[in-house]
Amino acid sequence: MSIAYRRALAAAALAAGLLTVDDPGALAQEAGASVPVLSPTASSDVDGTNTATRASRRKVGLALGGGSARGFAHIGVLRWFEEHRIPIDYISGTSMGGLIAGAYASGMSPQDIQALMNAVDWDLMFIADSPYKYKTFRRKQDKRTYPSQLELGLKGGITLPGGLNPGQQIALLLDRIALSYADMASFDDLPTPFRCVATDLRNAEAVVLGRGSLAQAMRATMAIPGVFTPVNYENWLLVDGGALNNIPADVTKKMGADTVIAVNVAADAATEAQAGASLVALLGRTIDTMMTTSIRQSLKAADIIVDPDLVGLTSMDWRRSSDLAERGYAAAEALKDKLLPLAVDEATFDAFQAARQARRRNVTTGVPEFLTVTGVDAREEAFIKATLAPVLGIPLDDGAIVDRILTVTGSDRYEYLTYRPIEKDGKVGLEIRARPKPYGPPFLLVSPELTNVSSSSFSVNLGGRVVAYDWVGIGSEVRMDGVVGTRRALGFEVWRPLGKTPIFVAPRAYYQQAPRNGYVEERLVAEYRFTRAGGGLDLGIAAGRHAEVRLGVDIADVKGRIRIGSPLLPEIDGTEKFSSLSFVWDNQTSPVVPSKGHYIKNRLRYYFGAPEQTGGTIPIDSPQEFWQGEVTGSWFTRVRREDRFFVNYGIGSSFGDEPLINDFSLGGPLRLSAFNADELRSSNYILGGIGYLKKVGRLADVLGGNIYLGGWFESGSAHTDWDAMTYRSSVSFSGVMETLLGPVYMGTAFDFDGRFRYYIGIGPLFR
């Protein structure tokens, strides 16, 4: 665990009365079959090196400590042991040490483990949500409108999730490691006997896991409280074991090891903390001291302690696994005088490794013929079986299984799904274990929004959406939206499919109140407040998770009142009526800063009623019937793996008419950024832009994503006559951060006529 994680966990343990300065091993209770303790045997000297025959050598056990990404140093230690022919008879671990130990115990070589860690998409591993590209279309709409990671449950009251991250990606990684050991009775049956340590929140004690699901055991030992959801494992509710026994040397000794080697990757963790005299800093150092005492107690059972020098590498360096492994290798090399006496001759080591590999299972050649699903009701079971049906009848394909599982989790109803091969009546099958989110549905999505409308005024809002399922029939959804702040809004939509077809109906009602600036020749002359209250009905087709088509009709009462400005200016009143046809395509990988994909919105409306002018000294004609169409979109691609190149565009037309208020606007970020919001308005517009975002950093993985710096160039025109367009251009330089609250951005923009503007925002950027 990292220093911050260990502080949080230790604080929780203190509150529960878990953490003492006594030997943590005294708290541990064995959760598996007992392992006989083998008595020490004599060693012999061969070719000047202290070696032993297989029959007489001392049994060696490793205890791998927790330390988040620092745990990758264990891979280098394991590699050094194998290169120097030191057999590992027993292995245990806590937290990240438990994952590396479990992977090695399953029969993987250090090189296999390193390759697996290098192949992991660590950006994806730590997202607190299902991957955007796998979401259903409606869940994509939710995330574009409310891009924060704040999701609350409303089942039995407002409830927080059990952690910032449900751990789906980690669960899939662990399932892959444990794939061949689904029916294993004891962890003693692994190629290398294995134990890991977790903390049971129900009984306030450390638990040594030695039987059951290998994947679940590894997940439990690294379930950092508040970050990952706790694991229900047999009768325990388990979280990370690091607070009570971060380096389980005592556990390895009890397994039967004659010589216990402990690897402490948290030895330099204190260098991550910033010294200070504040109360928080003092509390942090106090907890660190208590944790250090606990580790010292654990290490009393170790005969040799390996302390890798990890200065300069932090517990958040998940993408530097190779560098960390090299530090572990170097630490073992530095202790070779103590470690080489445990080496054996080449023939003995080869025989040991051959026996270890002989105990390794391989089920990847099996062909699953059936599925079983646990943890859900009959209807959801049918849905999951239908989604995973394509993986049946073909050789076991881990990639295909993961793809189908992520498709299921794209509905956002589940914390995670796990899988394992099973056998029944002589046939191979797959067991899918689903864990629905215990705190919903209904779910409440919450997202803040901050934008500066001009250089001196801000729009501040807090929006939320309640999403409920099956209230008006199987497969139906109900959405309820609310916004408070500069804007005010209430909305309600019922979405119901017609039978088992992709066709749906969606009636809705809404109330919206929002400010709108009035400009004359790019000079602000008034601020209006517009109110819309109405409803509509759509008939549509849900075309998979990428697209949707809707045909509908709306009617609303519209009022526009002067809030700031001359009373001689006109106001607006009347009824707005229109029919619409829309098509949306979304195959991007993120609603914030995608790595690739296209997002297109097409809309065609026919107005057969529009509000009219009231008051004012100059009458303004407004058509009551007219057509209006608009196409907007953005396209992203990855450049040099970490950077992004994008194109955004838009075009809208009223087809020769000049509506009074149902026009188009330009201004604001990515809409001619050098201009204020709504500064350019007309009945037609065209806009195009290209940009580049360079990744320059990353927030702590559980708190957000990438940090980008970049810029874009835009050019466009808002006009009434297509033959008399006046193009404006804008250049912008900006920073964008992917945070738990959604995108946070700030920047400056200028045009070529001396206009300059800065902007800052929280909320949707690429709309």
Side-chain angles (χ1 to χ4, degrees), residues 725-760:
M725 293 186 291
T726 302
Y727 277 97
R728 315 293 180 92
S729 297
S730 174
V731 177
S732 182
F733 297 98
S734 182
V736 182
M737 293 189 298
E738 301 170 330
T739 77
L740 285 178
L741 297 178
V744 175
Y745 56 92
M746 60 187 70
T748 61
F750 61 89
D751 69 2
F752 299 105
D753 295 322
R755 182 185 299 272
F756 177 85
R757 180 178 185 266
Y758 78 89
Y759 54 87
I760 183 171

Side-chain angles (χ1 to χ4, degrees), residues 298-538:
S298 299
L299 291 176
K300 286 182 178 181
D303 300 294
I304 301 172
I305 301 172
V306 181
D307 284 325
D309 177 6
L310 302 179
V311 173
L313 295 169
T314 75
S315 54
M316 292 288 102
D317 279 328
W318 299 99
R319 297 151 191 85
R320 299 185 65 182
S321 59
S322 296
D323 294 338
L324 285 155
E326 288 303 318
R327 297 286 186 93
Y329 187 97
E333 176 68 19
L335 287 176
K336 64 182 179 180
D337 291 342
K338 294 183 178 181
L339 295 174
L340 283 178
L342 300 171
V344 298
D345 59 76
E346 186 173 350
T348 301
F349 187 75
D350 289 345
F352 177 86
Q353 288 291 76
R356 178 173 181 264
Q357 289 303 311
R359 294 191 297 273
R360 187 176 185 182
R361 300 180 184 179
N362 186 356
V363 299
T364 58
T365 57
V367 178
E369 299 181 52
F370 66 92
L371 286 168
T372 64
V373 179
T374 63
V376 294
D377 60 30
R379 185 173 63 83
E380 291 187 60
E381 177 184 352
F383 162 67
I384 293 173
K385 283 185 173 180
T387 305
L388 273 92
V391 306
L392 298 179
I394 61 174
L396 198 63
D397 185 338
D398 179 75
I401 295 170
V402 168
D403 182 76
R404 304 312 296 176
I405 284 178
L406 292 177
T407 299
V408 172
T409 62
S411 65
D412 285 353
R413 296 189 182 209
Y414 307 97
E415 281 194 338
Y416 57 85
L417 274 71
T418 64
Y419 69 97
R420 64 173 186 168
I422 58 174
E423 188 172 325
K424 183 178 180 182
D425 300 329
K427 297 181 178 179
V428 175
L430 282 176
E431 180 183 73
I432 307 297
R433 296 183 178 182
R435 178 176 169 82
K437 293 179 178 178
Y439 52 91
F443 299 108
L444 171 61
L445 313 177
V446 181
S447 189
E449 183 178 310
L450 167 70
T451 56
N452 58 322
V453 180
S454 65
S455 296
S456 58
S457 63
F458 284 81
S459 173
V460 182
N461 305 287
L462 179 65
R465 170 174 287 174
V466 173
V467 181
Y469 304 129
D470 305 323
W471 279 11
V472 291
I474 294 176
S476 67
E477 294 183 14
V478 174
R479 282 176 174 168
M480 292 171 281
D481 291 282
V483 179
V484 294
T486 308
R487 295 188 298 116
R488 300 183 184 93
L490 288 173
F492 182 88
E493 181 188 68
V494 176
W495 185 92
R496 177 167 180 167
L498 299 181
K500 296 182 178 181
T501 72
I503 302 173
F504 64 87
V505 293
R508 62 185 171 277
Y510 48 85
Y511 172 85
Q512 302 167 350
Q513 191 178 85
R516 175 168 162 174
N517 290 333
Y519 286 86
V520 175
E521 296 181 354
E522 302 176 15
R523 183 171 58 89
L524 179 65
V525 297
E527 180 184 310
Y528 284 83
R529 182 165 294 277
F530 272 79
T531 302
R532 277 183 169 84
L537 174 66
D538 284 346

Side-chain angles (χ1 to χ4, degrees), residues 274-283 285:
Q274 296 294 324
S278 68
L279 178 62
V280 174
L282 180 60
L283 177 62
R285 288 199 298 273

Side-chain angles (χ1 to χ4, degrees), residues 234-263:
E234 297 189 359
N235 296 321
W236 301 297
L237 182 65
L238 300 179
V239 295
D240 194 301
L244 301 184
N245 196 350
N246 198 43
I247 308 174
D250 56 328
V251 174
T252 307
K253 176 70 77 174
K254 291 177 182 178
M255 292 175 71
D258 302 320
T259 300
V260 176
I261 301 165
V263 185

